[in-house]
Amino acid sequence: MALDRKIAYINLTTGEIETKPIPISIRKKFLGGRGLDMYLMYNHIKPGIDPLGPDNVAFVSAGVLVGTLASATARTHIAGKSPLTGFVGSANMGGFFAPEMRWAGFDHLVIKGKAEKPVYLWIRNGEIEIRDAENIWGKTVTETQEIIREELDDRDIKILTIGPAGEKLVRFANVMTEIKNAGGRSGMGALLGSKNLKAIAVRGTMDLKIERPAEALEYNKRVITQVISAKVSQTQGRLGTPFIWGATNSWGGIRTRNFQANQFEYCDDIEPESIDEHAIGMAGCFGCQVHCRAKYIIPDGPYKGVYDEGPEYTAQGALTAEPGCKNLVNLLVGNHLLNMYGLDILETGSLIAWAMELYEKGILSDKDTDGLELRFGNDEALIEMIHRIARREGLGDILAEGGLRAAEKIGKGSIKYLIHVKGMSNLHSDERPTPALALGIATGSRGSDHLRSRPAIDLYGLPEPVLRRIYSQPVAYDGPISSHWRDYEGKPWEVRWQELCYEAVDCLGICKYHTIFLGPNFPNFEEWSRLLYYNTGLEMSPLDIWNVADRAYTMERLFNIREGLTRKDDWLVDRYFDEPTTRGVPAACGVTIDREKFAKMIDEYYEHHGWDENGVPHPETLKKLDIDKEPSHML
Amino acid sequence: MEQEKTSATTAEITAKGRTTGAVRCMNCMERIRPPLGAKTFKCPHCSFEWRISWPLPKFPRIRGPVWDVNRRLTEEAMSKKGKGKK
Amino acid sequence: MAKVLMIDYEKCTGCRLCELVCSVKHEGVSNPARSRIKIVKWEMEGRYVPMSCQQCESAPCMAVCPVKAISRDEEMGRVDIDYDVCIGCRMCVAICPFGAMSFDTLAQKVIKCDFCDGDPLCVKFCEVGAIQYVDASMVSTVKQVAAAEKFTSIMQKVAAAISTV
C-alpha cells in the first residue's frame, strides 16, 4: 500500500546506507513529508551544531499522499538546520521529483556526514548508489539534470539538484528540480552544498497501491472540480501566480524600493497581463489541473530566445517593486538567472533592494560596490548583483551570507533598513496595513514567510459568518472574528488555523494552491480525511489530521527553542511600527503596526497554541500532543 | 464512516455562495460589475477607478488602479483625515 | 460511428494525471510505468506530448502477431488483445511506430489503450482538453476550426496594428 515506502539513512562520510520501514504508529503521529521531517530533525540534529558543518543533517521527503489520487500530490520537502537563520530549515517544492521517489520505493531520506568529493545519489527501485559528481560540479540547474539523464541513459529520471549558488554555500541557495521548481527559503541548497552533494536522481517503476481505487478516482474527480471551479484557480491557471499582483498593488500592499513605499506606481509593463503577452502556455506539476506555471521565451536582449518558466509572483516583486525596476525583460532575465544559479529569488531581490537603499543613503559607497551604481531602478545593477551574489564576488560575497551577517559586516546602522524576521527576508508584501499578515510573518517557524501561516483570505472582506464557518472546524472556535483586514481582533486564531492547514498539506504532499490559501472554498481537513482513507486506507478524522499538524508545528517550535529562539524572535523590525505607509487606498495609507496591539496578538497566538508568555510550550501541551518524551529516537 | 464521506464538506457548502462576473472594489470592498469587456470602471460606491482585465470571457479582474484618479482620491481622503485629527 | 482519442499536445500541461488515472483504473495502483498513455516530455523546452495507441485501421501489431491474439473491434474502433491467446513475445511492442504498445514487467504482459471500454478516464480527468474522445470524422473538423481561429486572430491583430499606425 501507499504506506509501505521506506526511510533511507545515507552517511556520505562513510558511504553507509541503511533502509528501514516506517512504522504505522509513527505515520499516525506525523503522517510524512514536513511533519515526519520535523520529528526526524529534532531527533537527529544535535543542538548548537554548525549548519554548514558535517553534523547538520539533510532530510528529503515526499508527503504521505504524494503520487496518489489527491489532486496535486507533487510536493517534495527538504529540511535541516537552516544555514541562513540557524533555526528550522524547511523548503517545499512541486514538480515531479517526489512522486518518482515514491515509485522508487522511498518516502524519506536522511543524509548525514560530508562526502570527500562531489557526489550525487542515484536511487532506482529500492537501490541507492553514491556516484561521482566531479563532472557536474559547477554546472547550472538544467545542465546538471541533462548530464545526469544522459549519463544514466534514461530521460524519465527526475532530479533534485543544487546550482552553482548552493556549491558556493550562498546561505539562501535553493534546491531545484526541472527548470524552475524551487525548494526555496532557509538555504537548503547551501546545506546540500556543504555536504558535497550535488544532486539526487530518482527513477521508479514500483507500484504504489491505491487502497480503494474506484472510490479514490471518483472522489479525486470531485476534489478537482472543487479546486478548479474556484475563480482564483482559473485566473491563476491563466496568468500564473503574478495574478495576485493586481489586487495587492491596487490597495497598497507591495513593498517598494526596499521599504520606502507600499505601492509600485505606474508599473503597467510588469503587471501580470503584460507578462502574459510573453507566455507561450501553461505547465502543471504532477497531477495538478490548476497549471499555474507559465512557460515563456525571453523576447529581447542578450538572453533573447531562452526558454524558462515563471516568473512567479515572488519573482515579480523581488525583481521589480523591491529594487524599483520596471523593465519586463529584466524581470524575465533575472528570473532565468536565479533559476540557473539555484538561488532564492525572494531573498536575493530583497537583499539587493536593501543594498540599494544603503547605497542611496550613503552607507554603501562606490568602493563597496566596486563602482556599481546601486540605485533603485537600475536594471543593469540588479542583474549584475545577481551574478555577484551567486559567484560570491565583492559585495555579493557579503550579501551571500544573508541579511544579518551582512549587516554586521557592513555596520554603520545598516541593520535599521533590513526587512527580516529571524534573519530571513520578507516577501515583497507590505504588512503594515494588515495585522493578520504581519502576525503570520513574525511568528513563522522558518522566519519571515508567507507560506507558513498567511491568512490571505483575510484580505477578501468575507462576511463574518463565512469566516466563522471556515475557521471553526475541525476544532470549535468561538472567539472574536473580523472581516476587515485592518483589524487586530480575531486574527491570531486565523494565523493559528492557517499555520496548521499549511503544516497539514506539507505532511500530505499537496500543493497550497489546493487548500485554503488564495480562496475560501478549497479542500482542507475534511477532504483530506477522505483522501487519506480512499488512497492509503488510513482512517483519520479531520481532527486527527489537525492534531498531526499541531504536533509537527510544535516540534518545529521545540527545535527552534533548543536553538535559542525566544519571544524576541517572533517580532517585526522597527520600520513596521515607526514608518507609516504613504500610498494605496486610504485605509492602507498612513498606517503602521501598533506595538501594543501587536504584542497582545502574540500573547493570544501563544495561548491558542498552549504556549506560555515566552512562547514555550506548556508541559501539558506536549503531553496532550504525545511529544513530551522527545527526542524518542523511534526512527 | 462511509456515510460521513459522501456528504458535502464545509468548503463545498461555502462554495455555493460564489458569485461570477463581479469583483470587489479594492477600496470600499463592495461588489462591482463592470460591463462586459470594459477596460476601466469607476466604482459607483466610492468613485475609485480601476483598470479592468478579462483573463477569461465574462470574467473581470482588477488589473490595477487608474493611477492619477486614485492617487488624487487618496490624497484628498488623507488630507481630510489629517484635518479631522486636529 | 467509432470514436478516437484526439490529442492536442499544445494544450497539454504535462501534469501526467492521465498516466496516474490510467494505471489506477487498469491495475489499481499508481505507477506510470503501467499506464497505457504516456506524456513524452522535453522539460527544458516546455514541450509535452501525450502518446497513446492510435488504434490503427491497418495495425502493424495485428499483422505481426504470430498467434493472431490481436484483432480489431470495429464497433469500438479499437485494437484488442486476447490475453488467452497472447504468448508475450513482444513483437507488437517492437513494431508499433508510436511506442504505444508497452510491456508491463510486473504483470508480464503487453498493455495498450482500450478506451476504458468506451469511457476513457484520461479524457475525463484532462480538464484542459488535451485528450478528447470524439467521433473519428470530427477530428479534422475540430482541427480546422482551431487553425482557422488562430489564423483569423492573427489577421485581426495585423489589421488592428495597421489601423493604429
Side-chain angles (χ1 to χ4, degrees):
Chain A
M1 61 176 175
L3 300 173
D4 61 2
R5 273 20 191 182
K6 294 192 169 133
I7 179 167
Y9 301 86
I10 299 140
N11 189 320
L12 293 175
T13 310
T14 63
E16 282 168 296
I17 294 166
E18 191 194 350
T19 62
K20 279 189 199 169
I22 301 170
I24 291 290
S25 57
I26 298 259
R27 285 287 193 197
K28 285 188 172 161
K29 275 179 86 170
F30 294 99
L31 286 172
R34 177 172 151 203
L36 192 43
D37 273 354
M38 291 306 148
Y39 173 81
L40 292 166
M41 202 160 112
Y42 195 73
N43 277 270
H44 285 266
I45 296 180
K46 293 196 184 78
I49 52 121
D50 172 10
L52 291 178
D55 291 335
N56 201 355
V57 186
F59 306 89
V60 176
S61 68
V64 73
L65 282 178
V66 164
T68 70
L69 286 160
S71 85
T73 57
R75 307 298 290 190
T76 311
H77 188 257
I78 306 107
K81 180 172 173 178
S82 165
L84 183 66
T85 66
F87 295 125
V88 164
S90 161
N92 197 296
M93 66 181 184
F96 296 83
F97 181 85
E100 197 72 33
M101 186 165 87
R102 293 201 100 193
W103 295 319
F106 294 99
D107 267 3
H108 286 263
L109 308 177
V110 179
I111 304 162
K112 297 187 165 187
K114 179 184 178 176
E116 212 170 293
K117 292 180 307 180
V119 294
Y120 76 92
L121 297 178
W122 169 220
I123 302 178
R124 189 173 198 287
N125 290 348
E127 303 285 323
I128 301 176
E129 186 189 338
I130 302 172
R131 292 175 66 97
D132 183 81
E134 296 277 14
N135 61 327
I136 45 174
W137 200 252
K139 299 291 183 199
T140 67
V141 165
T142 49
E143 283 166 354
T144 301
Q145 297 177 68
E146 278 169 350
I147 294 168
I148 291 178
R149 282 181 183 151
E150 201 164 310
E151 186 176 300
L152 299 172
D153 196 22
D154 185 345
R155 67 200 307 284
D156 289 330
I157 288 170
K158 299 298 167 192
I159 299 157
L160 168 161
T161 184
I162 58 170
E167 297 170 15
K168 292 263 187 198
L169 309 182
V170 176
R171 285 181 186 266
F172 42 90
N174 285 350
V175 168
M176 308 281 297
T177 184
E178 289 185 69
I179 199 159
K180 78 145 273 277
N181 292 297
R185 322 279 21 230
S186 69
M188 293 297 97
L191 169 54
L192 296 196
S194 74
K195 298 194 167 305
N196 269 333
L197 181 63
K198 175 70 176 171
I200 303 173
V202 291
R203 178 81 172 103
T205 55
M206 292 162 72
D207 283 347
L208 190 69
K209 193 171 176 294
I210 302 298
E211 203 59 29
R212 290 172 175 78
E215 287 114 313
L217 280 166
E218 196 187 322
Y219 191 61
N220 185 41
K221 182 71 194 169
R222 183 166 144 192
V223 168
I224 289 173
T225 307
Q226 189 184 347
V227 169
I228 64 166
S229 61
K231 286 186 273 187
V232 285
S233 299
Q234 291 175 42
T235 313
Q236 196 175 347
R238 176 76 188 74
L239 297 171
T241 52
F243 89 91
I244 305 165
W245 181 276
T248 316
N249 200 35
S250 288
W251 59 261
I254 298 279
R255 187 153 76 82
T256 302
R257 291 181 288 279
N258 197 25
F259 199 71
Q260 303 187 83
N262 58 315
Q263 188 176 53
F264 197 36
E265 291 177 302
Y266 303 96
C267 60
D268 306 11
D269 286 352
I270 51 93
E271 285 172 351
E273 286 80 359
S274 304
I275 300 174
D276 185 53
E277 285 172 27
H278 300 284
I280 54 168
M282 302 302 284
C285 295
F286 179 73
C288 178
Q289 299 295 294
V290 174
H291 49 78
C292 67
R293 202 146 37 99
K295 309 190 278 186
Y296 71 85
I297 289 171
I298 297 173
D300 216 344
Y303 293 90
K304 186 176 174 173
V306 171
Y307 172 83
D308 210 306
E309 291 167 8
E312 301 294 336
Y313 178 56
T314 302
Q316 189 188 14
L319 301 177
T320 68
E322 290 189 56
C325 295
K326 291 183 177 172
N327 184 320
L328 174 60
V329 174
N330 218 55
L331 163 60
L332 300 179
V333 169
N335 181 64
H336 169 65
L337 292 174
L338 289 158
N339 285 340
M340 294 304 102
Y341 280 129
L343 265 179
D344 188 314
I345 291 184
L346 191 164
E347 196 75 32
T348 309
S350 193
L351 289 178
I352 294 172
W354 171 58
M356 284 174 164
E357 189 168 356
L358 297 182
Y359 181 86
E360 291 202 344
K361 293 209 151 71
I363 294 171
L364 284 174
S365 67
D366 282 325
K367 204 174 140 229
D368 296 318
T369 66
D370 295 302
L372 192 67
E373 218 187 314
L374 207 51
R375 289 188 186 286
F376 287 113
N378 185 343
D379 298 335
E380 288 81 27
L382 171 67
I383 297 295
E384 177 58 25
M385 279 312 298
I386 291 172
H387 289 300
R388 287 189 192 176
I389 289 172
R391 297 174 185 154
R392 276 187 174 270
E393 293 166 1
L395 180 62
D397 189 30
I398 295 170
L399 297 182
E401 285 294 294
L404 285 182
R405 286 179 182 81
E408 202 173 312
K409 192 139 195 197
I410 295 165
K412 300 181 198 167
S414 56
I415 193 153
K416 204 177 113 189
Y417 303 100
L418 183 70
I419 306 303
H420 77 99
V421 174
K422 300 180 179 74
M424 191 153 95
S425 293
N426 190 22
L427 176 73
H428 64 273
S429 52
D430 195 324
E431 293 84 1
R432 280 176 288 182
T434 52
L437 275 56
L439 180 67
I441 62 164
T443 54
S445 61
R446 67 173 176 185
S448 177
D449 196 66
H450 55 290
L451 294 172
R452 238 36 190 181
S453 57
R454 172 155 293 187
I457 57 168
D458 187 59
L459 302 173
Y460 295 1
L462 295 168
E464 278 184 28
V466 174
L467 281 174
R468 196 168 285 285
R469 185 162 65 222
I470 293 167
Y471 288 129
S472 296
Q473 52 84 34
V475 288
Y477 172 73
D478 54 10
I481 212 143
S482 162
S483 288
H484 205 285
W485 44 269
R486 280 290 302 134
D487 289 342
Y488 290 73
E489 291 72 36
K491 309 298 179 180
W493 178 256
E494 288 183 6
V495 169
R496 151 91 165 145
W497 195 94
Q498 296 286 169
E499 193 171 70
L500 296 198
C501 173
Y502 300 159
E503 176 81 69
V505 270
D506 289 346
C507 294
L508 299 170
I510 295 175
C511 179
K512 294 192 178 66
Y513 299 135
H514 286 241
T515 188
I516 297 184
F517 177 22
L518 300 177
N521 311 322
F522 283 81
N524 57 84
F525 298 93
E526 287 171 81
E527 285 82 354
W528 298 331
S529 168
R530 300 175 187 194
L531 288 167
L532 266 175
Y533 178 67
Y534 295 139
N535 283 288
T536 71
L538 266 187
E539 285 203 47
M540 293 183 75
S541 69
L543 182 61
D544 291 337
I545 300 170
W546 168 276
N547 287 334
V548 166
D550 202 5
R551 189 174 292 123
Y553 204 84
T554 310
M555 291 297 291
E556 295 181 26
R557 189 72 185 179
L558 290 178
F559 183 90
N560 279 348
I561 289 171
R562 200 169 70 178
E563 295 299 333
L565 177 126
T566 66
R567 182 179 170 126
K568 285 205 299 279
D569 297 296
D570 291 334
W571 199 246
L572 301 167
V573 296
D574 288 342
R575 295 181 91 173
Y576 278 90
F577 307 107
D578 300 335
E579 291 179 27
T581 52
T582 53
R583 294 277 186 273
V585 298
C589 197
V591 299
T592 57
I593 294 288
D594 183 287
R595 273 198 178 82
E596 264 174 50
K597 288 184 188 166
F598 196 65
K600 274 201 189 123
M601 281 178 107
I602 302 242
D603 288 337
E604 194 182 326
Y605 165 87
Y606 285 170
E607 247 178 74
H608 288 319
H609 270 281
W611 301 348
D612 68 18
E613 70 279 10
N614 297 312
V616 179
H618 291 299
E620 46 280 21
T621 304
L622 298 182
K623 200 160 175 66
K624 195 186 86 195
L625 294 170
D626 195 14
I627 47 172
D628 52 331
K629 293 183 182 70
E630 297 301 335
S632 59
H633 300 292
M634 301 283 284
L635 207 60
Chain B
M1 190 131 189
E2 285 304 317
Q3 181 60 32
E4 191 183 312
K5 287 192 183 310
T6 49
S7 56
T9 62
T10 307
E12 284 173 325
I13 294 165
T14 312
K16 286 182 185 143
R18 187 185 280 145
T19 54
T20 50
V23 285
R24 279 189 191 277
C25 168
M26 285 294 150
N27 179 48
C28 67
M29 303 304 278
E30 289 292 332
R31 281 213 173 92
I32 52 175
R33 278 185 189 276
L36 212 62
K39 293 243 165 73
T40 61
F41 188 67
K42 192 184 262 299
C43 173
H45 310 281
C46 71
S47 300
F48 271 65
E49 195 168 348
W50 306 105
R51 282 176 289 128
I52 306 292
S53 75
W54 299 81
L56 299 164
K58 300 184 188 177
F59 207 102
R61 101 185 195 93
I62 289 183
R63 175 179 173 151
V66 174
W67 293 111
D68 294 321
V69 174
N70 289 9
R71 176 131 189 212
R72 179 174 50 75
L73 289 172
T74 296
E75 277 167 8
E76 280 169 17
M78 293 312 290
S79 80
K80 258 189 219 157
K81 222 201 260 182
K83 274 176 202 151
K85 268 181 196 164
K86 277 169 201 167
Chain C
M1 171 60 79
K3 285 183 161 187
V4 296
L5 277 192
M6 183 180 72
I7 286 172
D8 184 346
Y9 71 90
E10 284 188 15
K11 287 185 183 154
C12 178
T13 64
C15 80
R16 299 173 66 192
L17 184 58
C18 51
E19 295 182 16
L20 174 59
V21 296
C22 182
S23 70
V24 172
K25 156 94 188 185
H26 288 93
E27 313 293 344
V29 299
S30 154
N31 187 354
R34 304 179 74 181
S35 165
R36 278 74 173 152
I37 186 165
K38 181 174 165 65
I39 310 295
V40 177
K41 288 191 172 192
W42 286 263
E43 269 175 13
M44 306 312 174
E45 300 167 33
R47 262 198 295 155
Y48 321 125
V49 187
M51 296 292 287
S52 180
C53 176
Q54 301 297 309
Q55 319 287 357
C56 309
E57 292 292 337
S58 172
C61 54
M62 203 160 79
V64 81
C65 180
V67 292
K68 303 273 172 270
I70 301 178
S71 59
R72 250 197 89 81
D73 175 344
E74 290 304 338
E75 200 185 327
M76 284 285 292
R78 74 178 180 192
V79 174
D80 276 337
I81 302 167
D82 184 342
Y83 287 109
D84 291 335
V85 179
C86 173
I87 56 171
C89 70
R90 286 172 256 184
M91 286 300 283
C92 51
V93 179
I95 204 160
C96 176
F98 301 100
M101 186 76 82
S102 311
F103 189 73
D104 178 341
T105 53
L106 291 167
Q108 293 289 315
K109 64 175 189 185
V110 292
I111 51 171
K112 68 175 285 302
C113 170
D114 61 359
F115 287 157
C116 294
D117 298 325
D119 183 19
L121 267 199
C122 53
V123 173
K124 207 164 154 184
F125 278 82
C126 185
E127 298 284 343
V128 293
I131 323 163
Q132 293 178 44
Y133 190 51
V134 297
D135 282 343
S137 64
M138 283 302 290
V139 176
S140 55
T141 314
V142 173
K143 296 218 159 172
Q144 275 164 1
V145 172
E149 196 181 349
K150 226 187 234 174
F151 176 68
T152 47
S153 81
I154 291 168
M155 291 305 285
Q156 279 167 355
K157 270 187 195 160
V158 171
I162 291 168
S163 69
T164 56
V165 169

